[in-house]
Structure formats: structure tokens, C-alpha cells
């Protein structure tokens, strides 16, 4: 059964392992998995910068209030940072004579947004606590606060990351999941980061907010058969075959600015905008998990 996503109450999506009732939801692991050897703590700045959380939350709220899409952009910025050498802030580094940064890699170039918001957050934090809070931690907290600003839940952020002094252009090109990936490739890509298939399906639910560029879904709306005819027709009007690469469409047309489980409901009716999205519900091993999240918000 497919449910409308236009007037549903907001549903819980992210939580810490300490407060989560559904043990299969492990999104917090993504933020710390590649830093397992570090001694992270939710109280890391309690003495050195007790105002950090308030400052970051306030700046994020202001940015999202001005532009709802910014919430998804800040969440995505953290995701792309974490998928290359861990959550170390390397995504923020500009090119230097000794290395090419990650900003211009294929998955990021002319796509990642929110750097100006991070700059504002950093400036505000520095005004209160000079050279204390890492940019990597700012990204992690801002991602959480962005979800909250869009009606999602809060969760405990583990802190104490050190900022990277170098970046990896090549790994950004090879490691970040592609919107054209098939299910087997998605499973393999996440597995290399220590994340299970269950984690991958859960993390993909972040596409319940935000927008995608025409160039990332053009092939799907013109060439694929496992797509709702109404969706493909509508999107073709916005994304022509030979123009409009940067035209935007919501990943979840029903509630693009709210954190809910409509992303999964869309997949049940073949309304996944990206090829990689619909792969999660396409007769494969992840169908049951998608179905569970679509009809059982508490599991999601």
C-alpha cells in the first residue's frame, strides 16, 4: 500500500545508539566508524568551549530558515567528507601546491554546497573559543542540527576529531557512492567503509530531503522502465535530453523539506529519482528493509 507523503507527521530518522529503540538503525556509526581508534566523547568541549553547541545550532538554524535546501546540503557535506579518509574535514581544504583537494572531484564539483555556512559557523565559534573546536566536529554537529532544523530528531554527536592537513582528490572520485550505481556496487562501496547493507539502506534515507541535478537522473527518466510514468513525464519537462544539466528536482517530491520516511514510500511506487535510489527496491535483497521502513516508522 502506498501512502501520501504530503501531510504525514515528521518521523524519527537519526538517533544515538544510547537512545535508539530500533537497533537496526545505525546511522551514528557512519559518523564515527572510520575513526574507531580515536577516543571520541560527547562531552569533549564541555570545559574548553561550552558554547560550541549553542553557536553551531543557532547559525545552522538561521541558514536553514533562509533556505530550506541548506539543511540537506550541510548533511551531504558531512557525508562526502566522511566517505574519504574518515570524518576529518578534508572536504573543506582548498588546493595547495602539494595536493589537489576534494572539492573539484567528480562527485563534489559544482555540486557540494554550504561552505559559506561552515565559514560562518567557524567564525562564530572562533569568536567565543579560539582554536579549540575542529572543523571536522563542526561538520558533524551541523549535520545533526540541520536534520533537527528540518523537523527531524536530535542525536548524540561524538566529538574530538582532528582536522586533516591533506585531502585525496583520487579517493573522492572513487569512494563516494555514485547516483548511477547498481545495488551490488552500493553494497560493496559501503562495505569498504565498514558499513553493512542495513546501514546503507538506512543512510540512503537521507534522500528524504534535498534536491538533485538533472545530470544525475537524466538517464533514469528517459531510459529506465522501473519508474513511475507520471514521475518520468514530469521530470522530462524539467530535465530535457540535451540541456538543463543543473536544473534541480527534489529527491522526495512529496515532502522535500521535511525529514520523514517518504523516501521509502516513494521507492515502493517506483518514484525513486536516482537510479541508485530505486535499486534499493527493485527485486533485490534490500526490498524487505525498504518495505519495513515505508510502513513502519518506528523501525525507520
Amino acid at each position: 500500500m502506498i501512502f501520501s507523503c504530503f501531510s504525514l507527521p515528521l518521523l524519527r530518522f537519526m538517533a544515538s545508539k544510547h537512545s535508539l529503540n530500533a537497533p537496526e538503525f545505525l546511522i551514528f556509526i557512519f559518523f564515527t566508524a572510520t575513526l574507531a581508534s580515536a577516543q571520541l566523547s560527547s562531552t569533549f568541549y564541555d570545559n574548553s568551549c561550552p558554547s560550541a553547541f549553542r553557536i553551531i545550532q543557532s547559525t545552522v538554524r538561521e541558514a536553514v530558515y533562509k533556505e530550506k535546501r541548506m539543511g540537506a546540503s550541510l548533511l551531504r557535506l558531512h557525508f562526502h567528507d566522511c566517505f574519504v579518509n574518515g570524518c576529518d574535514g578534508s572536504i573543506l581544504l582548498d588546493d595547495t601546491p602539494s595536493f589537489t583537494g576534494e572539492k573539484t572531484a567528480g562527485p563534489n564539483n559544482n555540486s557540494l554546497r554550504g561552505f559559506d555556512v561552515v565559514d560562518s559557523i567557524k567564525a562564530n565559534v572562533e569568536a567565543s573559543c579560539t582554536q579549540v573546536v575542529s572543523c571536522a566536529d563542526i561538520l558533524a554537529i551541523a549535520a545533526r542540527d540541520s536534520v533537527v532544523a528540518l523537523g527531524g530528531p536530535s542525536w548524540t554527536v561524538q566529538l574530538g576529531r582532528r582536522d586533516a592537513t591533506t585531502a585525496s582528490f583520487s579517493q573522492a572520485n572513487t569512494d563516494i557512492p555514485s547516483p548511477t550505481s547498481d545495488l551490488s556496487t552500493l553494497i560493496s562501496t559501503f562495505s569498504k567503509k565498514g558499513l553493512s547493507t542495513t546501514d546503507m539502506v538506512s543512510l540512503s534515507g537521507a534522500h528524504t530531503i534535498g534536491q538533485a541535478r538533472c545530470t544525475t537522473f537524466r538517464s533514469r527518466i528517459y531510459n529506465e522502465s522501473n519508474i513511475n510514468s507520471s514521475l518520468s513525464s514530469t521530470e522530462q519537462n524539467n530535465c530535457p535530453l540535451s540541456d538543463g544539466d543543473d536544473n534541480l528536482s527534489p529527491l522526495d517530491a512529496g515532502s522535500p523539506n521535511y525529514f520523514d520516511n517518504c523516501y521509502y514510500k516513494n521507492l515502493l511506487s517506483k518514484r525513486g529519482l536516482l537510479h541508485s535510489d530505486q535499486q534499493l527496491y527493485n527485486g533485490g535483497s534490500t526490498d524487505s528493509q525498504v518495505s519495513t521502513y515505508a510502513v513502519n516508522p518506528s523501525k525507520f
Side-chain angles (χ1 to χ4, degrees):
M1 181 181 296
I2 308 303
F3 301 89
S4 170
C5 293
F6 287 88
S7 59
L8 288 174
L10 301 177
L11 305 173
R12 297 187 63 83
F13 180 76
M14 292 183 175
S16 74
K17 65 176 179 178
H18 303 292
S19 62
L20 185 61
N21 291 324
E24 69 270 34
F25 184 68
L26 304 171
I27 190 163
F28 97 99
I29 289 179
F30 174 73
F31 300 133
T32 58
T34 53
L35 293 172
S37 61
Q39 295 300 311
L40 303 182
S41 167
S42 61
T43 61
F44 191 82
Y45 297 113
D46 280 8
N47 295 321
S48 59
C49 191
S51 61
F53 281 111
R54 174 183 55 79
I55 294 170
I56 296 171
Q57 181 187 60
S58 175
T59 310
V60 169
R61 281 182 175 177
E62 181 179 356
V64 175
Y65 178 79
K66 290 179 179 178
E67 182 193 6
K68 295 291 187 183
R69 184 188 172 203
M70 186 53 66
S73 296
L74 291 172
L75 180 60
R76 183 168 181 257
L77 193 61
H78 182 44
F79 181 89
H80 280 224
D81 179 41
C82 291
F83 241 78
V84 180
N85 293 330
C87 313
D88 60 0
S90 60
I91 192 67
L92 303 174
L93 297 176
D94 293 323
D95 296 351
T96 74
S98 61
F99 71 85
T100 301
E102 298 163 19
K103 291 183 177 181
T104 57
N108 301 331
N109 194 34
N110 297 320
S111 176
L112 285 184
R113 306 169 70 250
F115 294 107
D116 55 335
V117 176
V118 175
D119 287 342
S120 295
I121 295 172
K122 181 64 173 175
N124 292 340
V125 171
E126 286 294 303
S128 180
C129 315
T130 305
Q131 296 183 358
V132 173
V133 182
S134 69
C135 291
D137 279 344
I138 285 176
L139 286 178
I141 299 169
R144 186 271 309 276
D145 290 348
S146 294
V147 171
V148 173
L150 292 175
S154 183
W155 69 89
T156 300
V157 180
Q158 301 297 323
L159 303 168
R161 298 166 182 80
R162 295 180 178 179
D163 287 330
T165 57
T166 187
S168 179
F169 177 85
S170 62
Q171 286 194 38
N173 275 319
T174 59
D175 288 14
I176 296 173
S178 166
T180 61
S181 295
D182 291 333
L183 180 60
S184 59
T185 300
L186 289 170
I187 292 172
S188 174
T189 299
F190 279 76
S191 177
K192 290 176 182 177
K193 302 301 176 181
L195 297 164
S196 69
T197 300
T198 299
D199 298 332
M200 182 268 291
V201 176
S202 298
L203 285 161
S204 297
H207 284 180
T208 192
I209 55 176
Q211 301 186 57
R213 297 161 63 216
C214 166
T215 186
T216 64
F217 60 83
R218 178 183 284 119
S219 179
R220 169 158 167 74
I221 62 175
Y222 285 100
N223 301 322
E224 297 186 11
S225 59
N226 63 337
I227 184 171
N228 181 279
S229 59
S230 176
L231 175 66
S232 60
S233 177
T234 299
E235 294 302 334
Q236 286 174 17
N237 290 330
N238 182 48
C239 181
L241 270 171
S242 58
D243 197 10
D245 281 3
D246 293 328
N247 291 354
L248 297 173
S249 287
L251 290 161
D252 169 11
S255 53
N257 295 320
Y258 296 98
F259 226 95
D260 53 30
N261 69 336
C262 285
Y263 167 79
Y264 299 105
K265 296 176 185 291
N266 292 336
L267 299 185
L268 297 189
S269 58
K270 300 182 179 180
R271 289 181 174 273
L273 183 63
L274 304 179
H275 175 84
S276 57
D277 287 334
Q278 197 59 56
Q279 283 291 293
L280 303 186
Y281 190 80
N282 193 42
S285 61
T286 55
D287 282 13
S288 61
Q289 187 180 350
V290 170
S291 297
T292 297
Y293 286 171
V295 302
N296 193 330
S298 64
K299 290 292 186 182
F300 180 40

